[in-house]
Amino acid sequence: MDPTIAVDDVAPIAILMDELRSEDVQLRLNAIHSIPTIALALGPDRARDELIPFLQDSVDDEDEVLLALAEVLGRNFEEYVGGKEYAHLVLGPLENLCAVEETLVRDKAAESITKLAAVLSQAQLETYYIPLLKRLTPGEWFTSRTSSAALYPAVYPKVSPAIQDDLRKGFGALVSDDTPMVRRAAAKWLGPLLAHFAQPHIITDGLPLYRRLQTDDQDSVRLLTVEDLIALAKRMTPAEVKEQLLKQIRHTVGDKSWRVRYMAATHFNELAEAVGVELVREELIGHYVQLLKDNEAEVRTAAAGQVPGFSKLLDREVILARIVPCVRDLSQDSSQHVRAALANQINGLAPLLGKQPTIENLLPLFLQLLKDDFPEVRLNIISKLETVNTVIGIEFLSDSLLPAIVELAEDKSWRVRQAIIEYIPLLANQLGKPFFDEQLGNLCMSWLGDTVFSIREAATHNLRKLTEVFGVDWARTTIVPKVINMGQHPNYLFRMTTVQALTTISPSLNLDIVRSDVIEPLLILAGDPIPNIRFNVSKALEVIAVSYGATPDGREFVHQRVVPVLEHQKNDQDADVRYFAARALQKSLAL
């Protein structure tokens, strides 16, 4: 609805009611999205007196519509009812949405309520928000109790100590709830709530809440307590952690459920940083080694991803004695996913160990992973070689690197071939021009003839990036002649690739090279019998004109060599050629 329409001319609430009762879900959705406009047209007084009560009474049974309503009400809706002074009125409709069955709707409603908490005054919070929380927390249905857990962290730091005492007791009821879904919600939101506890209450209240959840009989609850453990550790001194949490850390790392151990492995670096270096070296390193040797591949995969981050907290001697042997075992792991995760992270150990220990301990593992049967393992090693290169130099890897690159370049999966193409410019920078020209130059050109279009397209972009790495003189002698030779191939796909390659690399060259080497082959292809090639030439000429036509010398070149060809193509028998030629001509003449 147009907000400029006078309220007297329409009956917004009646229209909204009719649309919300429609059997057409899309119409009801449109009505929900128009609520801010209707509120604006009504004005703050009528929005408070008519719109809010209507929204509070209308709970649609379509989850999609309810989700949209929860989202709309959380989008600064208090502005439509008179500002912050009346923001508490929006809580009513959102409270109803916190009790519906669909999880997405409840989560969005809770999110919108926490946004409102940021604009409510302490008086409003204590008069309206806290009673809402006290109604939801002991609610008859688990849905409202689940939603209530998300509402505690936003309000806790803003109310008086006496009310904070009540809130801790209320959250304790959620932690002990009979329904697993409620306890899961409590475990999810305990960490954010702990961040607001006064220091004395961390031990007296926060720790018992965490321990209750950490010993829950449902692993879906226990796995969420890993982040609560980190939140607790951040608020405790190392001595308190040692006294109060070591037992829980051991239980979590050794939990009978692999999903809990997986979460522990995933967040292990955060936990290590929270407990401090001393405890890491005394206690956590043993637990980490335990995760690296876990009997579940998923846990080992997660732990492998933490290797360099955890190792930063250790001395070089400890890394060599405790971490490197585990890394050596993981490099031969039976799971390809474990090896891939390790290959993605193992390079991060090189700066921590230094040149000689890296050569002695990690280099054999790099070379082994470069020969792995699984393409992703080889790709992960190649993609992160820059870190290793800065420590030991690429010459130690080049002998094994080349076979791995060639094998990946010829992989039967085009996605693998495309991935290795994307890493070529990085490798070129590390390997240097002579090695690249001798070993990889022909390989890069061969991708231009690949049967898959995406590979040919990636190969052209690869040439442009290589030009930026090695310079235009290198491109003139190495790339441009080979690309132009493809323009004489009897297969039209090769000629098409020539046009596309020249289009892509031309902006990275200079006017002299374009004038002497590039333009003539393009003009010849402008007369190709295949229309697709002709209109791609039009596109190429447009790119050249835009790239070089800004200078007087460039403008003269465009008007002498480019414009006449486009004038001719403008009258081509093919409609697509005429269209692209006319567009390119317009841009060329405008220079």
Side-chain angles (χ1 to χ4, degrees):
M1 182 180 296
D2 187 340
T4 60
I5 297 175
V7 178
D8 293 341
D9 296 338
V10 292
I13 295 292
I15 294 172
L16 182 63
M17 289 175 65
D18 289 342
E19 290 182 349
L20 287 176
R21 289 171 182 149
S22 168
E23 294 184 4
D24 185 346
V25 174
Q26 189 58 50
L27 189 60
R28 299 208 299 278
L29 271 175
N30 292 342
I32 292 295
H33 289 305
S34 69
I35 285 175
T37 306
I38 290 172
L40 196 61
L42 287 169
D45 291 340
R46 290 189 63 188
R48 293 194 299 270
D49 297 340
E50 300 177 38
L51 182 58
I52 291 293
F54 169 71
L55 294 177
Q56 194 159 348
D57 293 338
S58 60
V59 178
D60 196 287
D61 61 350
E62 287 288 342
D63 295 333
E64 194 177 359
V65 177
L66 295 177
L67 181 62
L69 178 59
E71 191 172 358
V72 165
L73 291 176
R75 210 178 290 154
N76 301 321
F77 199 78
E78 70 277 1
E79 296 174 4
Y80 300 105
V81 296
K84 296 180 180 180
E85 182 183 351
Y86 299 98
H88 61 273
L89 295 174
V90 186
L91 292 172
L94 288 169
E95 180 179 352
N96 293 340
L97 294 173
C98 280
V100 301
E101 191 171 345
E102 172 55 44
T103 304
L104 287 175
V105 176
R106 296 200 310 271
D107 288 348
K108 182 56 71 174
E111 181 186 324
S112 294
I113 289 176
T114 56
K115 286 180 181 176
L116 273 174
V119 300
L120 294 173
S121 65
Q122 183 173 352
Q124 286 174 309
L125 288 170
E126 296 182 358
T127 307
Y128 302 103
Y129 192 107
I130 297 299
L132 175 151
L133 199 50
K134 289 183 176 179
R135 288 191 296 272
L136 290 175
T137 299
E140 182 180 355
W141 295 100
F142 80 90
T143 51
S144 62
R145 304 199 299 275
T146 302
S147 298
S148 70
L151 306 182
Y152 279 81
V155 70
Y156 187 88
K158 298 184 176 184
V159 293
S160 66
I163 294 178
Q164 287 181 345
D165 292 341
D166 289 340
L167 290 179
R168 291 195 301 277
K169 291 175 185 174
F171 199 85
L174 298 176
V175 166
S176 305
D177 197 276
D178 292 336
T179 307
M181 285 80 84
V182 178
R183 301 199 301 275
R184 277 204 297 272
K188 178 181 178 181
W189 291 102
L190 176 58
L193 181 60
L194 289 170
H196 301 301
F197 274 19
Q199 200 61 40
H201 295 134
I202 291 292
I203 301 292
T204 59
D205 296 87
L207 189 58
L209 293 175
Y210 161 71
R211 285 176 172 166
R212 179 67 182 264
L213 292 167
Q214 198 261 338
T215 55
D216 198 276
D217 58 357
Q218 297 280 326
D219 66 351
S220 60
V221 175
R222 296 199 305 277
L223 66 86
L224 292 170
T225 63
V226 172
E227 293 182 65
D228 301 334
L229 173 62
I230 295 167
L232 269 176
K234 287 179 177 178
R235 297 296 310 277
M236 291 182 175
T237 64
E240 288 173 331
V241 170
K242 192 170 186 177
E243 182 182 348
Q244 305 286 353
L245 290 183
L246 283 186
K247 183 179 178 182
Q248 276 68 41
I249 293 173
R250 292 189 194 110
H251 285 168
T252 298
V253 171
D255 197 280
K256 62 184 178 181
S257 168
W258 73 266
R259 297 203 299 161
V260 178
R261 302 197 304 275
Y262 172 83
M263 286 295 287
T266 301
H267 295 282
F268 205 83
N269 286 351
E270 295 172 63
L271 178 61
E273 289 171 5
V275 303
V277 174
E278 184 181 345
L279 275 179
V280 165
R281 295 175 180 178
E282 287 180 12
E283 285 280 343
L284 261 64
I285 186 167
H287 299 317
Y288 184 59
V289 168
Q290 182 181 335
L291 291 170
L292 288 172
K293 295 181 176 181
D294 197 273
N295 56 9
E296 291 292 338
E298 287 85 354
V299 179
R300 298 196 302 276
T301 300
Q306 306 284 300
V307 164
F310 183 74
S311 299
K312 287 176 184 176
L313 303 173
L314 306 174
D315 294 330
R316 181 187 300 178
E317 292 73 20
V318 178
I319 298 173
L320 288 169
R322 304 293 302 273
I323 301 299
V324 170
C326 294
V327 168
R328 193 174 292 120
D329 292 340
L330 292 175
S331 69
Q332 303 173 40
D333 197 276
S334 57
S335 167
Q336 62 191 29
H337 301 294
V338 174
R339 301 196 306 274
L342 178 67
N344 201 35
Q345 297 294 335
I346 189 174
N347 63 88
L349 288 175
L352 302 176
L353 294 178
K355 183 173 182 178
Q356 200 55 42
T358 297
I359 293 172
E360 293 174 4
N361 296 280
L362 297 185
L363 183 58
L365 304 183
F366 291 141
L367 301 181
Q368 178 184 324
L369 292 168
L370 277 170
K371 298 172 184 175
D372 197 276
D373 294 335
F374 189 45
E376 188 178 344
V377 177
R378 305 195 299 272
L379 280 174
N380 285 351
I381 280 287
I382 289 171
S383 68
K384 299 291 180 71
L385 280 179
E386 189 172 12
T387 307
V388 182
N389 181 29
T390 58
V391 177
I392 66 172
I394 200 70
E395 63 272 10
F396 287 99
L397 287 168
S398 57
D399 290 344
S400 292
L401 187 60
L402 187 62
I405 293 172
V406 172
E407 200 168 327
L408 288 165
E410 297 171 352
D411 195 275
K412 61 183 179 181
S413 169
W414 69 267
R415 296 183 190 278
V416 173
R417 300 200 300 277
Q418 186 175 27
I420 191 61
I421 290 173
E422 292 171 0
Y423 294 131
I424 287 294
L426 173 66
L427 289 169
N429 199 31
Q430 296 170 12
L431 294 168
K433 195 185 301 182
F435 183 91
F436 182 86
D437 286 345
E438 182 181 344
Q439 305 289 355
L440 295 178
N442 290 334
L443 184 62
C444 288
M445 298 307 300
S446 70
W447 282 320
L448 292 171
D450 198 278
T451 54
V452 177
F453 171 76
S454 294
I455 300 297
R456 299 196 300 272
E457 183 180 38
T460 61
H461 289 290
N462 177 49
L463 295 181
R464 176 179 56 78
K465 292 175 183 175
L466 288 172
T467 300
E468 293 167 0
V469 171
F470 291 145
V472 293
D473 293 334
W474 174 85
R476 182 176 201 167
T477 58
T478 307
I479 290 180
V480 174
K482 294 177 181 177
V483 170
I484 289 171
N485 285 340
M486 290 175 60
Q488 302 168 18
H489 200 283
N491 186 326
Y492 87 95
L493 285 176
F494 285 85
R495 304 198 300 277
M496 176 76 79
T497 302
T498 292
V499 177
Q500 290 170 336
L502 292 176
T503 305
T504 303
I505 66 174
S506 288
S508 298
L509 301 174
N510 57 41
L511 183 58
D512 289 340
I513 297 175
V514 171
R515 182 189 283 125
S516 61
D517 298 305
V518 173
I519 193 67
E520 197 59 44
L522 271 179
L523 299 186
I524 293 171
L525 288 168
D528 196 278
I530 305 296
N532 278 19
I533 292 177
R534 298 201 300 276
F535 76 64
N536 273 285
V537 170
S538 301
K539 292 181 180 180
L541 294 175
E542 178 182 330
V543 168
I544 289 173
V546 171
S547 300
Y548 297 101
T551 64
D553 194 21
R555 272 196 298 274
E556 182 182 355
F557 165 73
V558 169
H559 284 279
Q560 284 183 354
R561 302 303 308 274
V562 174
V563 169
V565 179
L566 293 174
E567 291 279 10
H568 178 73
Q569 282 192 318
K570 192 176 67 171
N571 300 313
D572 195 277
Q573 59 186 3
D574 184 87
D576 289 332
V577 178
R578 294 197 299 273
Y579 169 78
F580 287 109
R583 188 183 74 177
L585 183 62
Q586 183 181 12
K587 290 187 179 181
S588 300
L589 292 174
L591 295 170

